[in-house]
Amino acid sequence: MTSQVSSPAEQTDGTVVGEQRKPGGAKDVRRLDRVIIRFAGDSGDGMQLTGDRFTSETATFGNDLSTLPNFPAEIRAPAGTLPGVSSFQLHFADHDILTPGDAPNVLVAMNPAALKANIGDLPRGAEIIVNTDEFSKRALQKVGYGQSPLEDGSLDGYNLHPVPLTTLTVEALKEFSLSRKEAERSKNMFALGLLSWMYHRPTEGTEKFLAGKFAKKPDIAAANIAAFRAGWNFGETTEDFAVSYEVAPASKAFPPGLYRNISGNLALAYGLVSASRQADLPLFLGSYPITPASDILHELSKHKNFGVRTFQAEDEIAGIGAALGAAFGGSLAVTTTSGPGVALKSETIGLAVSLELPLLVIDIQRGGPSTGLPTKTEQADLLQAMYGRNGEAPVPVIAPKTPADCFDAALEAARIALTYRTPVFLLSDGYLANGSEPWRIPDLDELPDLRVQFAQGPNHTLEDGTEVFWPYKRDPQTLARPWAVPGTPGLEHRIGGIEKQDGTGNISYDPANHDFMVRTRQAKIDGIAVPDLTVDDPDAAHTLVLGWGSTYGPITAAVRRLRKAGESIAQAHLRHLNPFPANLGEVLGGYDKVIVPEMNLGQLATLVRAKYLVDARSYNQVNGMPFKAEQLAAALKEAIDD
């Protein structure tokens, strides 16, 4: 879905409420500047699809938005249980926003488990829409309710809307030749229709989507569309919903351009395809499916028309081995994985360091250790990316900060890999991978030129005048070695993991040569050109909050809150984690206090303290969820006052 935006501006978070009385007894419309909605139900209730469709229509309407899908690791978790609850949170606004929101204004709960799992996150006065058909005695007992919360007064502080969603859906679809079980599956579309009416969302895109999704089953398509329309009509006619809400488009929040909603993994896939086109190289992905990285493999497999080749290997080691072979053969080579897969790929990454070939290692981080929390987010692979190989094997590390930024991060990773002939780590995470936001589609002339020159002939002259090809003769600016495509006449050379002799590439066990090669590979990484760190400090603050990766949204939202309350605080966010920006030490030395929020136990803080000898303080969270802005603002305020 795309929308056109024509004027730039930036606003801060806040809620403004107004009301408009409709003539002739029509329902009131309340104007809001932002709303946070959470859809929650069983894994089989279609909450992710429901949230995704509401998000797509919201993007089409022109709101700024941020999403947080949250689902169990099991393919089909036990129905009606707390561990089986799947949810999708959407924050949308008429101004620039940065996070999926701390606390939902609206909860759609499809069963007692969904209500119990999420009620603790709701502020008093929030709207709760519950599917009363699922509140049976057995379902209540399964999650520990002694009596129904719909009747015991425990929800009196909320605006409760009991709706028999299942019954209404089945009634709306009685004209279709569907069994009751088949008809019940459309209750999520009834709920989507109701919420679309409540918040004046467009409907054409969803109806077109349903018609296309079930094109081979026209009866199912028609039934889902009918359920969607029935939900809309229910909102329009029922007396239980006396007010609908409007959130105007965020027409002043973005620079002019053509926008679409995009998730982090989709942005990464598009960035990789764009990098291959800008480099004029075929793209090869060698991968093994793993949550939450698999979507990149799925997406890239659709783009053979752009010269993309995807290989689903039998395991992680085979995936990266094939990718490294493709790099040797002259492709832009990529392997995608998550933390456990990085551990398996580490030996081949070390080989890529030794061979000095360009290779993109995309790590979509998740909770660990071991299998850990496959569907939850974490930032705990930084030290693994930095040091998780035998010997001195330095690798550049970069991290995107938002879902849309994953596109630019992919291009930057490709630039470094191709320019310096090195494997590069790109550290995204589950929050960015599955979350989404508006993305301005760039013009082609905005993309960097990534073209490389392969070795074409001899590059060295021996003392006797013979011209030869030396595979480890380096560019004096980048220290990159030449990239020779196999089969090029006269460029035969040795390759492998055993230490090379400087220049010739012959096997060498000479101690002095090994020392030189180790230091040269490190110097190449240290010399990578990266932009200086930009600091946002309008008030000459004494406290700096330093972040990396997906903490950007919560940190920025927290900083906005503090500044709005009169506090002085500076903010800086790292994209390049190895090497660090050249001015990072100077920046850190300019503040009395440095706070580093991370979704780990302090990995960036450890690196910063060791390299720059500053008293960087950690603020850490490892619960599988992103930081909440309010919680982070309170912690930063405490640090300022300390």
Side-chain angles (χ1 to χ4, degrees), residues 536-578:
D536 175 18
D537 185 5
D539 302 314
H542 296 284
T543 300
L544 171 72
V545 55
L546 179 70
W548 69 278
S550 66
T551 57
Y552 173 78
I555 288 175
T556 306
V559 166
R560 286 182 180 180
R561 293 188 185 204
L562 290 172
R563 289 177 180 170
K564 190 174 182 181
E567 298 291 340
S568 179
I569 187 169
Q571 176 187 0
H573 207 78
L574 288 167
R575 161 170 282 177
H576 296 89
L577 298 156
N578 192 34

Side-chain angles (χ1 to χ4, degrees), residues 285-639:
L285 173 67
S287 185
Y288 180 76
I290 184 172
T291 302
S294 300
D295 288 340
I296 303 172
L297 170 62
H298 300 160
E299 181 61 33
L300 288 178
S301 68
K302 303 174 184 177
H303 298 292
K304 295 181 177 65
N305 57 312
F306 287 115
V308 178
R309 295 294 177 266
T310 53
F311 170 57
Q312 180 176 320
E314 66 269 27
D315 56 39
E316 296 280 6
I317 299 170
I320 191 173
L324 185 57
F328 180 57
S331 292
L332 177 58
V334 184
T335 190
T336 53
T337 190
S338 189
V342 172
L344 292 165
K345 295 177 188 291
S346 61
E347 183 179 7
T348 306
I349 297 170
L351 176 60
V353 171
S354 178
L355 300 182
E356 299 187 48
L357 286 171
L359 173 67
L360 304 187
V361 181
I362 312 293
D363 177 7
I364 313 299
Q365 301 166 95
R366 72 191 204 192
S370 189
T371 304
L373 306 172
T375 60
K376 310 301 180 183
T377 196
E378 206 161 274
Q379 285 184 300
D381 293 350
L382 176 55
L383 293 183
Q384 180 178 219
M386 288 284 289
Y387 302 119
R389 294 163 296 283
N390 66 294
E392 297 288 343
V395 172
V397 181
I398 70 170
K401 61 184 181 181
T402 69
D405 187 50
C406 289
F407 177 86
D408 295 317
L411 287 164
E412 175 66 356
R415 177 191 74 84
I416 294 173
L418 295 171
T419 302
Y420 296 91
R421 310 288 196 267
T422 178
V424 176
F425 259 103
L426 189 153
L427 296 181
S428 179
D429 60 45
Y431 172 35
L432 296 184
N434 296 316
S436 62
E437 66 176 350
W439 171 58
R440 187 181 69 84
I441 301 172
D443 295 328
L444 288 178
D445 58 9
E446 298 176 46
L447 302 181
D449 185 350
L450 301 178
R451 287 173 293 182
V452 297
Q453 183 66 48
F454 291 116
Q456 299 297 321
N459 61 359
H460 183 75
T461 303
L462 300 177
E463 292 182 1
D464 62 3
T466 304
E467 292 187 336
V468 296
F469 174 67
W470 275 15
Y472 284 86
K473 186 169 185 176
R474 301 178 184 279
D475 182 297
Q477 299 299 317
T478 65
L479 298 182
R481 77 173 187 87
W483 194 0
V485 176
T488 306
L491 302 190
E492 298 84 357
H493 60 280
R494 293 179 182 273
I495 205 75
I498 296 179
E499 184 64 282
K500 283 67 148 184
Q501 184 182 50
D502 178 42
T504 68
N506 294 330
I507 294 173
S508 173
Y509 295 100
D510 178 65
N513 178 79
H514 177 59
D515 183 273
F516 179 80
M517 292 295 283
V518 167
R519 295 181 187 277
T520 300
R521 286 188 289 259
Q522 182 65 58
K524 181 175 69 170
I525 304 306
D526 292 341
I528 291 173
V530 303
D532 278 349
L533 181 65
T534 301
V535 182
D536 175 18
D537 185 5
D539 302 314
H542 296 284
T543 300
L544 171 72
V545 55
L546 179 70
W548 69 278
S550 66
T551 57
Y552 173 78
I555 288 175
T556 306
V559 166
R560 286 182 180 180
R561 293 188 185 204
L562 290 172
R563 289 177 180 170
K564 190 174 182 181
E567 298 291 340
S568 179
I569 187 169
Q571 176 187 0
H573 207 78
L574 288 167
R575 161 170 282 177
H576 296 89
L577 298 156
N578 192 34
F580 285 131
N583 68 332
L584 178 56
E586 179 184 352
V587 167
L588 296 175
Y591 292 91
D592 297 335
K593 300 174 184 176
V594 177
I595 314 300
V596 186
E598 298 181 77
M599 293 188 294
N600 57 48
L601 295 184
Q603 297 188 15
L604 175 61
T606 297
L607 295 174
V608 166
R609 291 170 67 96
K611 185 174 180 64
Y612 300 105
L613 303 180
V614 298
D615 186 21
R617 306 184 192 181
S618 288
Y619 181 72
N620 308 116
Q621 174 177 299
V622 282
N623 61 6
M625 298 294 288
F627 284 111
K628 292 184 177 180
E630 182 178 2
Q631 163 198 0
L632 192 51
L636 295 177
K637 176 65 166 63
E638 183 178 341

Side-chain angles (χ1 to χ4, degrees), residues 49 173 176 178 182-183 185-190 206-207 210-211 213-214 217-230:
L49 175 62
L173 302 184
F176 295 89
L178 301 174
E182 289 173 328
R185 290 174 182 162
S186 297
K187 62 180 180 292
N188 63 324
M189 288 298 105
F190 188 101
T206 293
E207 293 192 10
L210 292 171
K213 180 177 177 64
F214 299 106
K217 299 180 179 179
D219 288 347
I220 300 297
N224 276 280
I225 292 171
F228 176 69
R229 291 174 177 173

Side-chain angles (χ1 to χ4, degrees), residues 6-314:
S6 58
S7 59
E10 183 175 336
Q11 302 181 27
T12 57
D13 286 333
T15 302
V16 178
V17 179
E19 292 194 17
Q20 176 181 351
R21 180 74 63 180
K22 294 289 186 179
K27 294 186 177 183
D28 293 342
V29 177
R30 184 171 300 166
R31 301 185 188 278
L32 305 175
D33 74 336
R34 62 187 179 96
V35 174
I36 304 168
I37 298 175
R38 184 181 296 176
F39 299 93
D42 269 336
S43 296
D45 284 338
M47 294 296 94
Q48 302 305 319
L49 175 62
T50 305
D52 184 66
R53 288 314 312 160
F54 195 94
T55 299
S56 294
E57 297 299 349
T58 297
T60 301
F61 189 71
N63 295 119
D64 193 11
L65 61 89
S66 180
T67 68
L68 178 62
N70 187 15
F71 39 86
E74 292 85 355
I75 293 174
R76 184 65 174 94
T81 64
L82 293 174
V85 173
S86 174
S87 67
F88 188 105
Q89 184 163 306
L90 166 67
H91 183 190
F92 62 102
D94 66 1
H95 58 273
D96 175 27
I97 58 173
L98 298 155
T99 73
D102 290 354
N105 307 115
V106 182
L107 171 66
V108 179
M110 303 298 281
N111 60 20
L115 178 64
K116 187 165 189 177
N118 292 282
I119 190 66
D121 293 337
L122 268 64
R124 291 289 171 170
E127 307 265 353
I128 302 177
I129 300 171
V130 296
N131 179 16
T132 56
D133 288 325
E134 296 297 323
F135 279 69
S136 65
K137 183 177 181 180
R138 183 170 181 271
L140 291 166
Q141 290 176 342
K142 188 180 291 188
V143 295
Y145 279 127
Q147 53 184 321
S148 174
L150 308 183
E151 301 169 354
D152 65 5
S154 60
L155 301 179
D156 287 349
Y158 305 94
N159 294 320
L160 180 64
H161 302 279
V163 180
L165 288 173
T166 307
T167 299
L168 291 171
T169 302
V170 171
E171 178 66 20
L173 302 184
K174 63 182 180 181
E175 63 183 81
F176 295 89
S177 300
L178 301 174
S179 67
R180 180 179 177 86
K181 186 175 182 180
E182 289 173 328
E184 288 178 357
R185 290 174 182 162
S186 297
K187 62 180 180 292
N188 63 324
M189 288 298 105
F190 188 101
L192 177 60
L194 172 57
L195 269 293
S196 297
W197 171 83
M198 282 183 67
Y199 291 96
H200 296 239
R201 299 297 90 185
T203 60
E204 295 82 0
T206 293
E207 293 192 10
K208 183 178 179 181
F209 168 82
L210 292 171
K213 180 177 177 64
F214 299 106
K216 295 182 179 180
K217 299 180 179 179
D219 288 347
I220 300 297
N224 276 280
I225 292 171
F228 176 69
R229 291 174 177 173
W232 176 282
N233 292 333
F234 177 78
E236 182 71 29
T237 57
T238 183
E239 295 182 1
D240 192 37
F241 293 91
V243 178
S244 63
Y245 303 90
E246 285 184 352
V247 180
S251 57
K252 297 181 180 180
F254 309 111
L258 185 66
Y259 285 78
R260 60 156 293 161
N261 183 51
I262 200 165
S263 68
N265 274 352
L266 183 58
L268 257 175
Y270 286 176
L272 293 171
V273 174
S274 298
S276 75
R277 294 296 81 204
Q278 293 302 107
D280 196 21
L281 295 174
L283 178 67
F284 180 90
L285 173 67
S287 185
Y288 180 76
I290 184 172
T291 302
S294 300
D295 288 340
I296 303 172
L297 170 62
H298 300 160
E299 181 61 33
L300 288 178
S301 68
K302 303 174 184 177
H303 298 292
K304 295 181 177 65
N305 57 312
F306 287 115
V308 178
R309 295 294 177 266
T310 53
F311 170 57
Q312 180 176 320
E314 66 269 27

